[in-house]
Amino acid sequence: MSEKLSCCVKEPSSTWGGNWTESKLEAFSKYVSAYLTILKRYPQWQTIYFDGFAGSGSKESDNKSEIYEQLKITEEDEALYKGSAERVLSLSKSFDWYYFVDIKEESLKRLEVKLSEYQKKYSNPFQFKHGDCNKWVLELSKTMKKSEKYAALVFLDPFGMQIDWQSIESLRNTKTDIWILVPTGVIVNRLLDKNGKLKFSTKLQSFFGMTEEEIRTEFYKKSPQTTLFGEEEREIKISQPIEKIAFLYLQKLKTVWRNVVESPLVLKNSRNVPIFHLVFASNNPVAVKIAKDIIKSV
């Protein structure tokens, strides 16, 4: 496999929008097109497109959890949460199989109606899977490990931290390229309390696939503080934690895939603060070179 990709899906402009969304989808779209161009040289492989958060840009119910409410997420922050199904299906090139997953059944039904016109062009029926994305990523992994005939492109762009590391890790030793939108600044950094009070430690552990002690080692340092009772050691959060979150996630990806883009696409809010990092990994070095070039061009 070697070359370039370019796929695009037009989401309803009335729901979400903004330059960030366009940057994310432009990069992904270009990669998809190149990916399909290359894979057509290998007719022995059946290609799979897997979109883990394929809803039409509606807010997920999970985002209304205690975490979501306490972090006071703004509408501006949410502008990046947008799917890409129609862009992918608008390409002249196509996958053999399409899997669209969403946790909200209503959102998935709306998507199925939207994509009904596209279905007429394809012999294999689109697969719409309702439920937790983690469950379906694990199912995808099982399918791919049963046969070497499958090659998959996985696109995961959750608004929050819905993806567990265990699911990502299950794709080891599969013919998979993956793009993941990591909520570095908008969610993860906010859960890493500046005073080390990890109220949502369980969520952080499942997201990173690390123990609380390992997380503390990465994001906090001991600092002596003078008090009325003498000198005490307190945990202080490291400087530039958002960059560290992205770096750490990339290092984790390297334990699953042989090649990872070292400089992901950084998506920032109007205050120029990074809120998401769009990362890419593959077992093919050429694929990473393509993704790297695309990210630079966006």
Side-chain angles (χ1 to χ4, degrees), residues 44-251:
Q44 72 273 24
W45 293 349
Q46 288 195 34
T47 55
I48 298 172
Y49 174 73
F50 181 97
D51 188 337
F53 297 84
S56 58
S58 59
K59 302 175 188 177
E60 294 295 338
S61 58
D62 183 56
N63 288 341
K64 290 304 181 184
S65 65
E66 183 184 2
I67 295 176
Y68 181 90
E69 295 295 345
Q70 288 196 16
L71 293 181
K72 296 180 174 56
I73 304 301
T74 66
E75 289 291 328
E76 181 187 20
D77 290 336
E78 289 191 78
L80 278 173
Y81 183 74
K82 237 164 109 71
S84 59
E86 292 167 85
R87 286 179 184 256
V88 174
L89 294 172
S90 296
L91 294 173
S92 58
K93 310 174 188 71
S94 62
F95 291 85
D96 295 306
W97 299 95
Y98 291 85
Y99 284 81
F100 301 106
V101 177
D102 202 273
I103 197 167
K104 291 184 71 175
E105 191 169 12
E106 289 183 8
S107 182
L108 202 60
K109 286 180 178 178
R110 287 197 299 270
L111 182 66
E112 187 170 359
V113 171
K114 283 183 193 176
L115 303 185
S116 59
E117 284 300 311
Y118 292 99
Q119 177 66 87
K120 297 174 183 177
K121 305 176 187 177
Y122 298 90
S123 56
N124 290 330
F126 299 158
Q127 303 294 310
F128 295 90
K129 301 297 183 181
H130 166 239
D132 186 348
C133 179
N134 291 289
K135 168 189 172 182
W136 293 110
V137 170
L138 292 172
E139 288 297 318
L140 173 67
S141 173
K142 290 178 185 177
T143 298
M144 296 192 69
K145 288 177 179 178
K146 287 179 182 177
S147 173
E148 293 186 357
K149 69 179 180 180
Y150 297 114
L153 176 58
V154 176
F155 183 48
L156 304 176
D157 69 334
F159 177 80
M161 298 168 66
Q162 294 93 329
I163 296 296
D164 296 334
W165 181 254
Q166 180 183 11
S167 304
I168 300 299
E169 197 171 34
S170 74
L171 294 170
R172 181 184 280 112
N173 298 324
T174 62
K175 208 181 279 96
T176 303
D177 285 10
I178 188 167
W179 287 85
I180 309 175
L181 189 68
V182 184
T184 49
V186 71
I187 301 287
V188 184
N189 183 48
R190 299 186 191 188
L191 297 192
L192 294 166
D193 179 77
K194 65 179 181 179
N195 296 314
K197 298 177 181 178
L198 301 183
K199 182 176 180 180
F200 298 102
S201 174
T202 300
K203 172 61 73 175
L204 287 165
Q205 289 179 62
S206 64
F207 180 77
F208 282 114
M210 299 168 63
T211 66
E212 180 175 323
E213 183 179 354
E214 290 172 329
I215 291 171
R216 288 186 181 280
T217 298
E218 294 289 347
F219 293 103
Y220 297 90
K221 60 183 179 180
K222 299 289 185 179
S223 177
Q225 302 287 323
T226 301
T227 70
L228 290 174
F229 306 102
E231 201 170 75
E232 295 180 358
E233 272 200 340
R234 294 184 181 177
E235 283 190 327
I236 304 297
K237 191 174 177 181
I238 63 171
S239 61
Q240 298 184 313
I242 296 176
E243 290 77 4
K244 181 60 179 290
I245 293 166
F247 174 79
L248 183 58
Y249 204 84
L250 291 176
Q251 298 311 302

